[in-house]
Amino acid sequence: KLQMKLHALTLLSLTSSILGFNSPSPLRSSCSSTALKVSPTPLLSRPVIAGAAAAVAGGVGLKKILDKPSRPYTENSVKDEYDAWTQDGILEYYWGEHIHLGYYTPSDMEKGFRSWRKKDFKQAKFDFTDKMMEFGGFWGENKSWGEGKELKVLDVGCGVGGSSRYIARALGPKSTVTGITLSPNQVARATELAEEQSTPNAKFEVMNALEMTFPDNSFDIVWACESGEHMPDKKKYIDEMMRVLKPGGKFVMATWCQRDDRNEPFSKKDLRDLRFLYEEWTHPYFISIENYAELIEDTGMMAEINTDDWNEQTIASWRHSVWVGVEDPRGFIFKPRQYFKCIRDGYCLERMHRAFNRGLMQYGMFTATKKQES
């Protein structure tokens, strides 16, 4: 196990200074860009200085490669990437069933430097699901709204079905949850896990969220957790979800958003950083919390529209996800063909952290109720 950890640390040594974990950072950074910089450390002996110079030169060269996004959005890129991530198993090994950020309370964050490391990374994702269900108005104080009833739930962009199965078990066997994704591999894995976990009321289908085949007014709850990022048409994404939601039904969505630039236009650095975040993880573009709220309002179908920014509750996830790989390299250490991809993903995770940390990005939360038909 020690040898594996040393091997993992060796793989990450070229990017250790790039990832910037050697010093604490405040929630808000004064850095104007999420692009990461490499700074040499003063050393005493000439041999060490020479070695450091070579390492810095290698780091600078690696940084140039990593700063060039490698996975821009195309017609099939989302399906292909999630098929690949599901097949290699690395994402599921570290992130578990829930391919979304975790939830960290103030007490989780007040236990000392990098206190988030003390929280179980996968449990943070279950906590997020609980909090999102409460925010959606059908759990927690509003548990009686849905528990034990015959509800139909749609999970838009379900991944490997972690939230779908969790909601299905929480609501009870009378309810059914349907998860949709573009990835056949995710559907296969989600179905396999539903069988293993004895959750027959969770089903999964390959379906485009922008062209759903469900009739109007089909679902009591429409749930969308971190799928909007990949949608090439945000208006159609919202319109389709509102269309299939029943009158009186609950809508709840979580998605990464860029800040509203109408009052404060993006700088050139902002635009470069956003372009990297778009094109490294196959996102066509992001929009703001305000833009999404306007799209929901413009449907004319929804009432009680509420929004929030859960940046403070989720930001620890970015660096936490890198640390779980350092602390337990077994998820990738025996897959050498994936080493560079893991380094790229670690680099992107850190740039995501910095973008959220300085307010370029926000974590949008949305809930609304569909109006009754007159």
Side-chain angles (χ1 to χ4, degrees):
K1 187 174 181 178
L2 177 60
Q3 288 181 331
M4 288 193 297
K5 285 195 173 185
L6 290 172
H7 194 178
L9 291 169
T10 300
L11 286 170
L12 293 172
S13 63
L14 287 175
T15 55
S16 60
S17 59
I18 295 175
L19 291 175
F21 290 131
N22 295 324
S23 61
S25 64
L27 180 62
R28 291 290 177 192
S29 169
S30 60
C31 179
S32 62
S33 173
T34 61
L36 280 61
K37 299 178 181 179
V38 180
S39 300
T41 302
L43 298 170
L44 298 177
S45 65
R46 288 187 177 182
V48 174
I49 290 174
V56 169
V60 171
L62 177 61
K63 179 182 179 297
K64 288 182 179 180
I65 296 173
L66 295 177
D67 275 336
K68 185 176 181 180
S70 64
R71 290 167 279 191
Y73 178 84
T74 63
E75 183 178 357
N76 294 315
S77 60
V78 175
K79 176 187 75 67
D80 292 343
E81 285 298 323
Y82 279 108
D83 271 348
W85 277 326
T86 305
Q87 184 171 358
D88 67 38
I90 295 174
L91 187 62
E92 185 180 338
Y93 183 87
Y94 290 112
W95 286 52
E97 302 175 46
H98 296 262
I99 309 175
H100 56 73
L101 301 191
Y103 190 97
Y104 298 78
T105 65
S107 63
D108 291 328
M109 303 298 288
E110 293 174 356
K111 298 175 182 175
F113 178 46
R114 296 176 189 152
S115 57
W116 38 262
R117 292 177 61 188
K118 299 175 184 178
K119 180 163 187 169
D120 183 272
F121 184 56
K122 294 179 182 178
Q123 182 59 47
K125 298 168 183 298
F126 283 98
D127 291 349
F128 180 93
T129 306
D130 282 330
K131 292 295 184 181
M132 185 170 169
M133 290 167 68
E134 291 178 24
F135 186 75
F138 62 95
W139 205 244
E141 294 182 356
N142 298 300
K143 188 175 182 179
S144 60
W145 189 89
E147 188 179 32
K149 297 181 181 177
E150 294 184 17
L151 299 180
K152 293 181 66 178
V153 182
L154 176 65
D155 183 356
V156 180
C158 63
V160 294
S163 296
S164 301
R165 291 185 298 275
Y166 190 79
I167 295 169
R169 291 191 294 270
L171 294 180
K174 293 181 180 179
S175 291
T176 59
V177 181
T178 302
I180 63 169
T181 172
L182 292 172
S183 166
N185 284 0
Q186 286 188 327
V187 167
R189 181 58 178 152
T191 302
E192 181 179 42
L193 288 170
E195 293 174 355
E196 290 178 4
Q197 298 169 6
S198 300
T199 312
N201 55 329
K203 305 291 184 183
F204 304 93
E205 300 181 33
V206 174
M207 189 180 296
N208 186 342
L210 304 184
E211 298 175 351
M212 289 191 275
T213 58
F214 305 116
D216 296 355
N217 306 325
S218 293
F219 296 95
D220 300 283
I221 299 170
V222 171
W223 169 286
C225 185
E226 296 187 11
S227 57
E229 300 86 338
H230 293 297
M231 300 297 168
D233 187 334
K234 311 300 189 196
K235 181 181 185 303
K236 195 169 184 181
Y237 172 59
I238 294 297
D239 288 348
E240 274 291 275
M241 290 191 289
M242 303 305 97
R243 179 184 68 79
V244 301
L245 183 63
K246 291 180 181 179
K250 303 284 190 181
F251 166 70
V252 59
M253 176 174 74
T255 188
W256 309 343
C257 298
Q258 62 193 35
R259 69 167 175 82
D260 192 340
D261 66 328
R262 287 175 286 193
N263 293 325
E264 182 186 348
F266 293 128
S267 67
K268 290 182 179 179
K269 287 182 178 180
D270 290 338
L271 293 172
R272 284 199 300 271
D273 293 338
L274 287 171
R275 179 176 176 270
F276 176 86
L277 300 181
Y278 296 162
E279 296 184 7
E280 180 58 20
W281 278 346
T282 192
H283 302 122
Y285 61 97
F286 306 131
I287 63 174
S288 69
I289 292 175
E290 293 83 354
N291 290 151
Y292 268 119
E294 290 160 6
L295 289 176
I296 296 169
E297 179 70 34
D298 288 347
T299 66
M301 301 179 187
M302 306 303 291
E304 304 172 24
I305 302 168
N306 294 301
T307 69
D308 202 357
D309 180 0
W310 282 11
N311 181 28
E312 291 190 12
Q313 296 92 326
T314 59
I315 192 170
S317 298
W318 302 109
R319 286 182 170 175
H320 201 173
S321 63
V322 177
W323 273 108
V324 294
V326 173
E327 293 171 338
D328 179 10
R330 288 173 295 178
F332 69 89
I333 206 70
F334 301 114
K335 300 177 181 180
R337 292 183 181 180
Q338 303 299 326
Y339 285 174
F340 188 63
K341 183 179 179 182
C342 290
I343 291 173
R344 288 204 72 102
D345 287 338
Y347 185 74
C348 190
L349 287 163
E350 174 61 15
R351 288 194 63 168
M352 277 289 188
H353 167 87
R354 297 191 180 196
F356 279 87
N357 196 38
R358 69 182 182 90
L360 179 61
M361 294 290 291
Q362 300 173 326
Y363 197 95
M365 297 296 300
F366 306 83
T367 185
T369 301
K370 190 168 184 179
K371 297 175 183 177
Q372 296 289 346
E373 294 180 336
S374 54

